[in-house]
PDB file of all heavy atoms in Angstrom:
ATOM      1  N   ASP V   1     124.228 104.115 102.095  1.00 97.00           N
ATOM      2  CA  ASP V   1     123.989 103.919 103.538  1.00 97.00           C
ATOM      3  C   ASP V   1     122.844 102.952 103.608  1.00 97.00           C
ATOM      4  O   ASP V   1     121.734 103.321 103.494  1.00 97.00           O
ATOM      5  CB  ASP V   1     123.688 105.207 104.250  1.00 97.00           C
ATOM      6  CG  ASP V   1     123.301 105.045 105.725  1.00 97.00           C
ATOM      7  OD1 ASP V   1     123.447 103.868 106.230  1.00 97.00           O
ATOM      8  OD2 ASP V   1     122.918 106.075 106.366  1.00 97.00           O
ATOM      9  N   PRO V   2     123.162 101.702 103.854  1.00 97.00           N
ATOM     10  CA  PRO V   2     122.108 100.610 103.903  1.00 97.00           C
ATOM     11  C   PRO V   2     121.017 100.941 105.003  1.00 97.00           C
ATOM     12  O   PRO V   2     119.889 100.412 104.912  1.00 97.00           O
ATOM     13  CB  PRO V   2     122.844  99.374 104.202  1.00 97.00           C
ATOM     14  CG  PRO V   2     124.139  99.615 103.686  1.00 97.00           C
ATOM     15  CD  PRO V   2     124.489 101.106 103.941  1.00 97.00           C
ATOM     16  N   ALA V   3     121.404 101.739 106.012  1.00 97.00           N
ATOM     17  CA  ALA V   3     120.505 102.006 107.140  1.00 97.00           C
ATOM     18  C   ALA V   3     119.684 103.231 106.886  1.00 97.00           C
ATOM     19  O   ALA V   3     118.869 103.652 107.685  1.00 97.00           O
ATOM     20  CB  ALA V   3     121.251 102.123 108.419  1.00 97.00           C
ATOM     21  N   ALA V   4     119.894 103.904 105.688  1.00 97.00           N
ATOM     22  CA  ALA V   4     119.209 105.156 105.422  1.00 97.00           C
ATOM     23  C   ALA V   4     117.694 105.005 105.413  1.00 97.00           C
ATOM     24  O   ALA V   4     117.235 103.956 104.839  1.00 97.00           O
ATOM     25  CB  ALA V   4     119.721 105.766 104.193  1.00 97.00           C
ATOM     26  N   LYS V   5     116.963 105.908 105.915  1.00 98.00           N
ATOM     27  CA  LYS V   5     115.490 105.870 105.814  1.00 98.00           C
ATOM     28  C   LYS V   5     115.155 106.899 104.633  1.00 98.00           C
ATOM     29  O   LYS V   5     115.600 108.050 104.706  1.00 98.00           O
ATOM     30  CB  LYS V   5     114.881 106.366 107.091  1.00 98.00           C
ATOM     31  CG  LYS V   5     115.025 105.343 108.159  1.00 98.00           C
ATOM     32  CD  LYS V   5     114.268 105.738 109.387  1.00 98.00           C
ATOM     33  CE  LYS V   5     114.580 104.701 110.586  1.00 98.00           C
ATOM     34  NZ  LYS V   5     114.003 105.189 111.807  1.00 98.00           N
ATOM     35  N   VAL V   6     114.403 106.389 103.653  1.00 98.00           N
ATOM     36  CA  VAL V   6     114.170 107.274 102.403  1.00 98.00           C
ATOM     37  C   VAL V   6     112.663 107.395 102.290  1.00 98.00           C
ATOM     38  O   VAL V   6     111.981 106.394 102.378  1.00 98.00           O
ATOM     39  CB  VAL V   6     114.749 106.634 101.140  1.00 98.00           C
ATOM     40  CG1 VAL V   6     114.489 107.407  99.968  1.00 98.00           C
ATOM     41  CG2 VAL V   6     116.245 106.212 101.360  1.00 98.00           C
ATOM     42  N   ALA V   7     112.204 108.688 102.144  1.00 97.00           N
ATOM     43  CA  ALA V   7     110.780 108.905 101.874  1.00 97.00           C
ATOM     44  C   ALA V   7     110.734 109.750 100.645  1.00 97.00           C
ATOM     45  O   ALA V   7     111.399 110.739 100.475  1.00 97.00           O
ATOM     46  CB  ALA V   7     110.247 109.689 103.016  1.00 97.00           C
ATOM     47  N   VAL V   8     109.928 109.269  99.669  1.00 96.00           N
ATOM     48  CA  VAL V   8     109.807 109.909  98.369  1.00 96.00           C
ATOM     49  C   VAL V   8     108.395 110.380  98.124  1.00 96.00           C
ATOM     50  O   VAL V   8     107.454 109.557  98.374  1.00 96.00           O
ATOM     51  CB  VAL V   8     110.215 108.931  97.156  1.00 96.00           C
ATOM     52  CG1 VAL V   8     110.073 109.621  95.911  1.00 96.00           C
ATOM     53  CG2 VAL V   8     111.643 108.431  97.360  1.00 96.00           C
ATOM     54  N   ASN V   9     108.231 111.662  97.752  1.00 96.00           N
ATOM     55  CA  ASN V   9     106.957 112.138  97.395  1.00 96.00           C
ATOM     56  C   ASN V   9     107.024 112.353  95.908  1.00 96.00           C
ATOM     57  O   ASN V   9     107.672 113.247  95.380  1.00 96.00           O
ATOM     58  CB  ASN V   9     106.624 113.483  98.132  1.00 96.00           C
ATOM     59  CG  ASN V   9     105.285 114.020  97.748  1.00 96.00           C
ATOM     60  OD1 ASN V   9     104.799 113.914  96.617  1.00 96.00           O
ATOM     61  ND2 ASN V   9     104.630 114.620  98.779  1.00 96.00           N
ATOM     62  N   LEU V  10     106.376 111.469  95.140  1.00 95.00           N
ATOM     63  CA  LEU V  10     106.429 111.494  93.655  1.00 95.00           C
ATOM     64  C   LEU V  10     105.787 112.725  93.164  1.00 95.00           C
ATOM     65  O   LEU V  10     106.138 113.234  92.091  1.00 95.00           O
ATOM     66  CB  LEU V  10     105.843 110.175  93.148  1.00 95.00           C
ATOM     67  CG  LEU V  10     106.237 109.718  91.772  1.00 95.00           C
ATOM     68  CD1 LEU V  10     107.784 109.680  91.621  1.00 95.00           C
ATOM     69  CD2 LEU V  10     105.640 108.369  91.493  1.00 95.00           C
ATOM     70  N   ASP V  11     104.670 113.209  93.772  1.00 95.00           N
ATOM     71  CA  ASP V  11     103.926 114.393  93.237  1.00 95.00           C
ATOM     72  C   ASP V  11     104.816 115.659  93.324  1.00 95.00           C
ATOM     73  O   ASP V  11     104.783 116.419  92.386  1.00 95.00           O
ATOM     74  CB  ASP V  11     102.734 114.636  94.114  1.00 95.00           C
ATOM     75  CG  ASP V  11     101.672 113.478  93.900  1.00 95.00           C
ATOM     76  OD1 ASP V  11     101.589 112.967  92.847  1.00 95.00           O
ATOM     77  OD2 ASP V  11     100.818 113.288  94.904  1.00 95.00           O
ATOM     78  N   THR V  12     105.575 115.837  94.341  1.00 96.00           N
ATOM     79  CA  THR V  12     106.428 117.019  94.551  1.00 96.00           C
ATOM     80  C   THR V  12     107.799 116.790  94.091  1.00 96.00           C
ATOM     81  O   THR V  12     108.624 117.754  94.041  1.00 96.00           O
ATOM     82  CB  THR V  12     106.401 117.509  96.008  1.00 96.00           C
ATOM     83  OG1 THR V  12     107.010 116.511  96.803  1.00 96.00           O
ATOM     84  CG2 THR V  12     105.042 117.880  96.469  1.00 96.00           C
ATOM     85  N   LYS V  13     108.210 115.470  93.763  1.00 96.00           N
ATOM     86  CA  LYS V  13     109.557 115.124  93.303  1.00 96.00           C
ATOM     87  C   LYS V  13     110.581 115.332  94.423  1.00 96.00           C
ATOM     88  O   LYS V  13     111.758 115.526  94.167  1.00 96.00           O
ATOM     89  CB  LYS V  13     109.977 115.878  92.045  1.00 96.00           C
ATOM     90  CG  LYS V  13     108.971 115.945  91.049  1.00 96.00           C
ATOM     91  CD  LYS V  13     108.690 114.653  90.251  1.00 96.00           C
ATOM     92  CE  LYS V  13     107.830 114.997  89.063  1.00 96.00           C
ATOM     93  NZ  LYS V  13     107.500 113.717  88.364  1.00 96.00           N
ATOM     94  N   VAL V  14     110.204 115.262  95.684  1.00 96.00           N
ATOM     95  CA  VAL V  14     111.061 115.475  96.823  1.00 96.00           C
ATOM     96  C   VAL V  14     111.486 114.103  97.480  1.00 96.00           C
ATOM     97  O   VAL V  14     110.629 113.290  97.673  1.00 96.00           O
ATOM     98  CB  VAL V  14     110.427 116.330  97.870  1.00 96.00           C
ATOM     99  CG1 VAL V  14     111.287 116.468  99.133  1.00 96.00           C
ATOM    100  CG2 VAL V  14     110.182 117.762  97.257  1.00 96.00           C
ATOM    101  N   VAL V  15     112.817 113.972  97.703  1.00 97.00           N
ATOM    102  CA  VAL V  15     113.281 112.762  98.351  1.00 97.00           C
ATOM    103  C   VAL V  15     113.864 113.268  99.697  1.00 97.00           C
ATOM    104  O   VAL V  15     114.706 114.170  99.680  1.00 97.00           O
ATOM    105  CB  VAL V  15     114.401 112.181  97.506  1.00 97.00           C
ATOM    106  CG1 VAL V  15     115.071 110.973  98.290  1.00 97.00           C
ATOM    107  CG2 VAL V  15     113.931 111.798  96.121  1.00 97.00           C
ATOM    108  N   GLU V  16     113.299 112.755 100.759  1.00 97.00           N
ATOM    109  CA  GLU V  16     113.872 113.018 102.114  1.00 97.00           C
ATOM    110  C   GLU V  16     114.620 111.795 102.638  1.00 97.00           C
ATOM    111  O   GLU V  16     114.161 110.749 102.518  1.00 97.00           O
ATOM    112  CB  GLU V  16     112.662 113.293 103.020  1.00 97.00           C
ATOM    113  CG  GLU V  16     111.924 114.568 102.726  1.00 97.00           C
ATOM    114  CD  GLU V  16     110.767 114.882 103.646  1.00 97.00           C
ATOM    115  OE1 GLU V  16     110.288 113.954 104.352  1.00 97.00           O
ATOM    116  OE2 GLU V  16     110.453 116.077 103.746  1.00 97.00           O
ATOM    117  N   VAL V  17     115.858 112.113 103.081  1.00 97.00           N
ATOM    118  CA  VAL V  17     116.721 110.941 103.600  1.00 97.00           C
ATOM    119  C   VAL V  17     117.198 111.274 104.935  1.00 97.00           C
ATOM    120  O   VAL V  17     117.768 112.333 105.242  1.00 97.00           O
ATOM    121  CB  VAL V  17     117.939 110.940 102.610  1.00 97.00           C
ATOM    122  CG1 VAL V  17     118.809 109.712 103.017  1.00 97.00           C
ATOM    123  CG2 VAL V  17     117.496 110.747 101.121  1.00 97.00           C
ATOM    124  N   GLU V  18     117.071 110.318 105.777  1.00 97.00           N
ATOM    125  CA  GLU V  18     117.662 110.310 107.133  1.00 97.00           C
ATOM    126  C   GLU V  18     118.867 109.300 107.066  1.00 97.00           C
ATOM    127  O   GLU V  18     118.658 108.143 106.899  1.00 97.00           O
ATOM    128  CB  GLU V  18     116.693 109.822 108.186  1.00 97.00           C
ATOM    129  CG  GLU V  18     115.644 110.784 108.526  1.00 97.00           C
ATOM    130  CD  GLU V  18     114.783 110.332 109.698  1.00 97.00           C
ATOM    131  OE1 GLU V  18     115.278 109.736 110.673  1.00 97.00           O
ATOM    132  OE2 GLU V  18     113.497 110.529 109.625  1.00 97.00           O
ATOM    133  N   SER V  19     120.080 109.881 107.133  1.00 96.00           N
ATOM    134  CA  SER V  19     121.260 109.080 106.887  1.00 96.00           C
ATOM    135  C   SER V  19     122.472 109.807 107.675  1.00 96.00           C
ATOM    136  O   SER V  19     122.445 111.016 107.885  1.00 96.00           O
ATOM    137  CB  SER V  19     121.535 109.059 105.483  1.00 96.00           C
ATOM    138  OG  SER V  19     122.807 108.363 105.237  1.00 96.00           O
ATOM    139  N   THR V  20     123.456 108.979 108.021  1.00 95.00           N
ATOM    140  CA  THR V  20     124.676 109.537 108.488  1.00 95.00           C
ATOM    141  C   THR V  20     125.693 109.893 107.449  1.00 95.00           C
ATOM    142  O   THR V  20     126.708 110.514 107.681  1.00 95.00           O
ATOM    143  CB  THR V  20     125.305 108.534 109.483  1.00 95.00           C
ATOM    144  OG1 THR V  20     125.512 107.341 108.813  1.00 95.00           O
ATOM    145  CG2 THR V  20     124.428 108.347 110.741  1.00 95.00           C
ATOM    146  N   ALA V  21     125.335 109.470 106.191  1.00 96.00           N
ATOM    147  CA  ALA V  21     126.204 109.838 105.001  1.00 96.00           C
ATOM    148  C   ALA V  21     126.110 111.242 104.705  1.00 96.00           C
ATOM    149  O   ALA V  21     125.081 111.955 104.863  1.00 96.00           O
ATOM    150  CB  ALA V  21     125.816 108.907 103.845  1.00 96.00           C
ATOM    151  N   ALA V  22     127.081 111.768 104.031  1.00 96.00           N
ATOM    152  CA  ALA V  22     127.174 113.156 103.603  1.00 96.00           C
ATOM    153  C   ALA V  22     126.145 113.382 102.461  1.00 96.00           C
ATOM    154  O   ALA V  22     126.006 112.512 101.573  1.00 96.00           O
ATOM    155  CB  ALA V  22     128.634 113.491 103.073  1.00 96.00           C
ATOM    156  N   ALA V  23     125.561 114.576 102.507  1.00 95.00           N
ATOM    157  CA  ALA V  23     124.557 114.913 101.515  1.00 95.00           C
ATOM    158  C   ALA V  23     125.128 114.783 100.075  1.00 95.00           C
ATOM    159  O   ALA V  23     124.556 114.341  99.112  1.00 95.00           O
ATOM    160  CB  ALA V  23     124.014 116.293 101.682  1.00 95.00           C
ATOM    161  N   ALA V  24     126.487 115.220  99.912  1.00 95.00           N
ATOM    162  CA  ALA V  24     127.144 115.180  98.631  1.00 95.00           C
ATOM    163  C   ALA V  24     127.240 113.727  98.154  1.00 95.00           C
ATOM    164  O   ALA V  24     127.051 113.455  96.922  1.00 95.00           O
ATOM    165  CB  ALA V  24     128.453 115.792  98.740  1.00 95.00           C
ATOM    166  N   ALA V  25     127.478 112.775  98.989  1.00 96.00           N
ATOM    167  CA  ALA V  25     127.577 111.401  98.626  1.00 96.00           C
ATOM    168  C   ALA V  25     126.223 110.803  98.193  1.00 96.00           C
ATOM    169  O   ALA V  25     126.183 110.115  97.224  1.00 96.00           O
ATOM    170  CB  ALA V  25     128.128 110.562  99.708  1.00 96.00           C
ATOM    171  N   LEU V  26     125.198 111.243  98.878  1.00 97.00           N
ATOM    172  CA  LEU V  26     123.880 110.775  98.543  1.00 97.00           C
ATOM    173  C   LEU V  26     123.451 111.361  97.214  1.00 97.00           C
ATOM    174  O   LEU V  26     122.843 110.668  96.355  1.00 97.00           O
ATOM    175  CB  LEU V  26     122.863 111.194  99.667  1.00 97.00           C
ATOM    176  CG  LEU V  26     123.124 110.625 100.995  1.00 97.00           C
ATOM    177  CD1 LEU V  26     122.182 111.262 102.057  1.00 97.00           C
ATOM    178  CD2 LEU V  26     122.996 109.019 101.002  1.00 97.00           C
ATOM    179  N   SER V  27     123.646 112.708  97.001  1.00 96.00           N
ATOM    180  CA  SER V  27     123.347 113.324  95.730  1.00 96.00           C
ATOM    181  C   SER V  27     124.086 112.660  94.546  1.00 96.00           C
ATOM    182  O   SER V  27     123.513 112.381  93.464  1.00 96.00           O
ATOM    183  CB  SER V  27     123.713 114.784  95.852  1.00 96.00           C
ATOM    184  OG  SER V  27     123.432 115.457  94.616  1.00 96.00           O
ATOM    185  N   ALA V  28     125.414 112.409  94.769  1.00 97.00           N
ATOM    186  CA  ALA V  28     126.184 111.719  93.785  1.00 97.00           C
ATOM    187  C   ALA V  28     125.576 110.397  93.406  1.00 97.00           C
ATOM    188  O   ALA V  28     125.469 109.960  92.182  1.00 97.00           O
ATOM    189  CB  ALA V  28     127.640 111.627  94.136  1.00 97.00           C
ATOM    190  N   ALA V  29     125.186 109.632  94.367  1.00 98.00           N
ATOM    191  CA  ALA V  29     124.549 108.233  94.158  1.00 98.00           C
ATOM    192  C   ALA V  29     123.316 108.369  93.252  1.00 98.00           C
ATOM    193  O   ALA V  29     123.071 107.619  92.438  1.00 98.00           O
ATOM    194  CB  ALA V  29     124.343 107.551  95.463  1.00 98.00           C
ATOM    195  N   ILE V  30     122.494 109.429  93.665  1.00 97.00           N
ATOM    196  CA  ILE V  30     121.199 109.560  92.879  1.00 97.00           C
ATOM    197  C   ILE V  30     121.595 109.909  91.385  1.00 97.00           C
ATOM    198  O   ILE V  30     120.955 109.419  90.505  1.00 97.00           O
ATOM    199  CB  ILE V  30     120.310 110.671  93.536  1.00 97.00           C
ATOM    200  CG1 ILE V  30     119.866 110.127  94.903  1.00 97.00           C
ATOM    201  CG2 ILE V  30     119.199 110.955  92.646  1.00 97.00           C
ATOM    202  CD1 ILE V  30     119.214 111.278  95.746  1.00 97.00           C
ATOM    203  N   THR V  31     122.531 110.775  91.237  1.00 97.00           N
ATOM    204  CA  THR V  31     122.975 111.209  89.947  1.00 97.00           C
ATOM    205  C   THR V  31     123.532 109.994  89.111  1.00 97.00           C
ATOM    206  O   THR V  31     123.173 109.787  87.988  1.00 97.00           O
ATOM    207  CB  THR V  31     124.032 112.367  89.972  1.00 97.00           C
ATOM    208  OG1 THR V  31     123.394 113.515  90.647  1.00 97.00           O
ATOM    209  CG2 THR V  31     124.469 112.785  88.617  1.00 97.00           C
ATOM    210  N   GLU V  32     124.345 109.212  89.755  1.00 97.00           N
ATOM    211  CA  GLU V  32     124.940 108.057  89.108  1.00 97.00           C
ATOM    212  C   GLU V  32     123.910 107.028  88.742  1.00 97.00           C
ATOM    213  O   GLU V  32     124.083 106.210  87.794  1.00 97.00           O
ATOM    214  CB  GLU V  32     126.018 107.398  90.043  1.00 97.00           C
ATOM    215  CG  GLU V  32     127.272 108.214  90.150  1.00 97.00           C
ATOM    216  CD  GLU V  32     128.275 107.712  91.196  1.00 97.00           C
ATOM    217  OE1 GLU V  32     128.076 106.539  91.552  1.00 97.00           O
ATOM    218  OE2 GLU V  32     129.115 108.488  91.565  1.00 97.00           O
ATOM    219  N   ALA V  33     122.762 107.050  89.391  1.00 97.00           N
ATOM    220  CA  ALA V  33     121.655 106.131  89.078  1.00 97.00           C
ATOM    221  C   ALA V  33     120.868 106.626  87.940  1.00 97.00           C
ATOM    222  O   ALA V  33     119.965 105.951  87.400  1.00 97.00           O
ATOM    223  CB  ALA V  33     120.710 106.006  90.289  1.00 97.00           C
TER     224      ALA V  33
END
């Protein structure tokens, strides 16, 4: 989702995403990376 807003907290290892895409698709993309 090119329009996704991504916020990463490296200390807590948390990625917050504001997106219209499904969570499963986002998770799969992170895994594929």
Side-chain angles (χ1 to χ4, degrees):
D1 177 4
K5 293 182 182 177
V6 183
V8 178
N9 184 323
L10 204 50
D11 292 331
T12 61
K13 314 287 188 186
V14 172
V15 179
E16 295 181 335
V17 181
E18 286 185 40
S19 173
T20 57
L26 299 172
S27 177
I30 294 169
T31 301
E32 287 173 18

